[in-house]
Amino acid sequence: MRKSSIFFLICFLLQYFCSSNSESFVGVNYGIVADNLPPPDATAKLLKSTSIEKVRLYGADPAIIKALANSGIGIVIGAANGDIPAMASDPNFAGQWVNSNVMAYYPASKIIVVSVGNEVVTSGDQNLLSNLLPAMRNVQNALNSASLGGKIKVSTVHSMAVLGQSEPPSAGAFNSSFGDTLKALLQFQSENSSPFMINPYPFFAYQSDPRPETLAFCLFQPNAGRVDSRTGIKYMNMFDAQVDAVHSALSAMGFKDVEIVVAETGWPYKGDPNEVGPSLDNAKNYNGNLINYLRSKVGTPLMPGKSVDTYIFALYDENLKPGPGSERSFGLFRSDLSMIYDAGLSKSAQTPASTPLTPAPTASAATLTPSPTPVMPSPKTPTTTPAILAPTTPSTPLTPGILPPGSEIRGTATSCEPLHSLLLIIVTIIAFTLVEVHRE
């Protein structure tokens, strides 16, 4: 009896250790606005060779969803903005959409979220805006009817332009012109435990404020940090400040428990000659340090101890996208499946590496000159990468005002959690065994 107890204890602890190494928080965006992409089956094999555990699609391509069957990779599928009016007005249309795009593949294909529309709230299209929530409700009802309401979440993706204030992060607030719409959406999401999906891009913040200290702040590299004047918390990177500003906005509206998911973030590795910021080194540093930071599970200052689910943009370049050259250069892999640069996504790189880390939050301010500016959305191609704020990066200390949702902080830190977990297993087993021996 005692031996079996020890056996079950060991199994439980090993299971805990394995789960603690899970990287379910690292995802990737898989856009297909291109004519040179590898076949879905080859892409599925590529994904399984990495530590990527989630994929966000911008539609519901049958070949891709099928290729990911039995892979264990979570899939976010999208309903196009053009489908929203029909989904809202006709529950049968929503039901047929769910049957065709979810039921036909689930559970072999691990669909985890249906994203209804992309950046609808900030699109300026009042028809889409008025139909968004009814469409989400009808999709939710269709999933409930299929007994999948608790397994597959219904959400929608927002640009950072939904924020009217983000500086300092603790004063983050939604744009008042979207207030009623967002409150109703969040009430629905709170009732159904679905995530608030947002697209922060420090890259665009740096473009609007191309100082060396801003670049370091965006790339998780050593920098003086920026202090939230209300809380005294020092932020060491843009990503943290941006995510915390969203958290503060949710809290201010009474929905602090709604989970935040970063639906898109990334950095282009090349661009046009007149573009500031794109480079192979910057892309590798941003994405590599971000992934490393997520693995640390440090969390943000306002949401410590848990990494936010983050989908990196993007798996491949999309050579048919319009706009500046950077729009076609966010890929992690080439169409021949080779890496454009190593962001640390191989399965052998799952332990946090040594990267510039964030110091513990302090109330000390850096010596930069404050330069807060209004949050201004930057035009972005409405295909794979939605509109993103192009704020200027305020220097420390942060003062009340508008913090560019692209120019915020995120500290990096390594974690000894796997080692601690292993030590916990060993010590517990030894202690338990000694007690049992003593009893005998």
Side-chain angles (χ1 to χ4, degrees):
M1 183 69 165
R2 290 172 182 168
K3 288 181 180 178
S4 62
S5 298
I6 295 175
F7 174 77
F8 284 117
L9 176 64
I10 292 172
C11 290
F12 171 78
L13 290 172
L14 286 174
Q15 183 179 19
Y16 167 81
F17 175 64
C18 292
S19 64
S20 73
N21 274 336
S22 171
E23 293 188 359
S24 59
F25 42 77
V26 178
V28 70
N29 288 270
Y30 183 179
I32 56 173
V33 186
D35 61 6
N36 60 349
L37 298 181
D41 287 345
T43 296
K45 290 179 182 177
L46 170 66
L47 289 168
K48 285 188 282 187
S49 72
T50 72
S51 56
I52 295 168
E53 293 200 14
K54 294 179 180 179
V55 172
R56 178 186 168 215
L57 310 179
Y58 291 85
D61 186 286
I64 297 173
I65 298 174
K66 286 179 184 176
L68 293 171
N70 304 310
S71 66
I73 295 172
I75 308 168
V76 177
I77 62 172
N81 286 5
D83 287 334
I84 289 175
M87 281 183 164
S89 62
D90 185 359
N92 289 329
F93 180 91
Q96 290 168 4
W97 192 95
V98 167
N99 285 337
S100 299
N101 298 292
V102 178
M103 300 302 296
Y105 312 107
Y106 188 88
S109 295
K110 188 181 173 183
I111 297 168
I112 54 175
V113 177
V114 174
S115 173
V116 178
N118 191 37
E119 297 196 342
V120 171
V121 172
T122 53
S123 68
D125 189 322
Q126 292 304 311
N127 181 48
L128 286 182
L129 188 58
S130 62
N131 282 298
L132 178 58
L133 182 54
M136 292 171 69
R137 283 181 175 144
N138 283 340
V139 171
Q140 183 70 59
N141 290 337
L143 289 170
N144 291 345
S145 297
S147 300
L148 294 176
K151 299 175 181 177
I152 300 175
K153 304 301 180 183
V154 177
S155 188
T156 188
V157 175
H158 305 282
S159 81
M160 287 292 289
V162 294
L163 291 185
Q165 176 165 325
S166 59
E167 179 201 344
S170 62
F174 291 117
N175 187 316
S176 58
S177 62
F178 306 138
D180 292 341
T181 298
L182 285 171
K183 189 167 185 177
L185 282 172
L186 287 166
Q187 185 61 48
F188 164 84
Q189 292 188 257
S190 177
E191 291 169 356
N192 293 282
S193 301
S194 71
F196 185 81
M197 304 181 77
I198 192 80
N199 295 337
Y201 276 83
F203 165 66
F204 292 99
Y206 172 64
Q207 283 197 316
S208 65
D209 181 19
R211 293 177 294 162
E213 56 267 32
T214 302
L215 182 61
F217 189 61
C218 290
L219 297 180
F220 303 85
Q221 293 177 331
N223 66 91
R226 300 178 181 186
V227 174
D228 185 315
S229 58
R230 288 164 41 121
T231 63
I233 293 172
K234 179 187 278 190
Y235 282 84
M236 299 309 297
N237 67 74
M238 195 167 288
F239 188 84
D240 271 351
Q242 195 162 3
V243 172
D244 272 357
V246 174
H247 174 73
S248 295
L250 291 171
S251 298
M253 196 170 272
F255 297 98
K256 67 177 181 179
D257 293 329
V258 171
E259 178 190 6
I260 296 172
V261 166
V262 172
E264 278 186 30
T265 190
W267 200 288
Y269 64 89
K270 67 178 180 180
D272 294 331
N274 63 342
E275 288 192 87
V276 177
S279 79
L280 194 64
D281 284 344
N282 287 348
K284 181 177 180 179
N285 282 326
Y286 178 74
N287 285 323
N289 288 341
L290 170 62
I291 291 166
N292 196 46
Y293 182 64
L294 293 173
R295 286 176 179 151
S296 76
K297 301 182 185 177
V298 169
T300 72
L302 298 185
M303 296 182 292
K306 178 184 180 295
S307 291
V308 173
D309 280 10
T310 299
Y311 293 79
I312 295 169
F313 188 83
L315 184 60
Y316 300 118
D317 287 342
E318 293 172 272
N319 67 334
L320 298 182
K321 289 187 66 179
S326 59
E327 282 293 319
R328 295 175 291 282
S329 307
F330 276 85
L332 296 168
F333 294 89
R334 300 182 183 88
S335 55
D336 65 1
L337 306 180
S338 64
M339 285 189 299
I340 295 174
Y341 57 87
D342 187 358
L345 285 169
S346 66
K347 288 190 173 179
S348 61
Q350 292 187 22
T351 302
S354 175
T355 60
L357 307 186
T358 26
T362 66
S364 59
T367 57
L368 305 180
T369 306
S371 59
T373 59
V375 170
M376 299 292 292
S378 172
K380 194 112 169 59
T381 318
T383 49
T384 352
T385 41
I388 308 188
L389 303 183
T392 67
T393 309
S395 304
T396 318
L398 297 181
T399 52
I402 305 290
L403 175 64
S407 62
E408 297 158 17
I409 326 157
R410 173 150 183 133
T412 37
T414 54
S415 170
C416 293
E417 180 177 352
L419 178 58
H420 289 168
S421 299
L422 182 58
L423 290 174
L424 174 64
I425 291 173
I426 295 171
V427 171
T428 305
I429 291 173
I430 292 172
F432 191 86
T433 304
L434 289 174
V435 169
E436 290 299 304
V437 170
H438 178 72
R439 286 179 181 173
E440 291 176 354

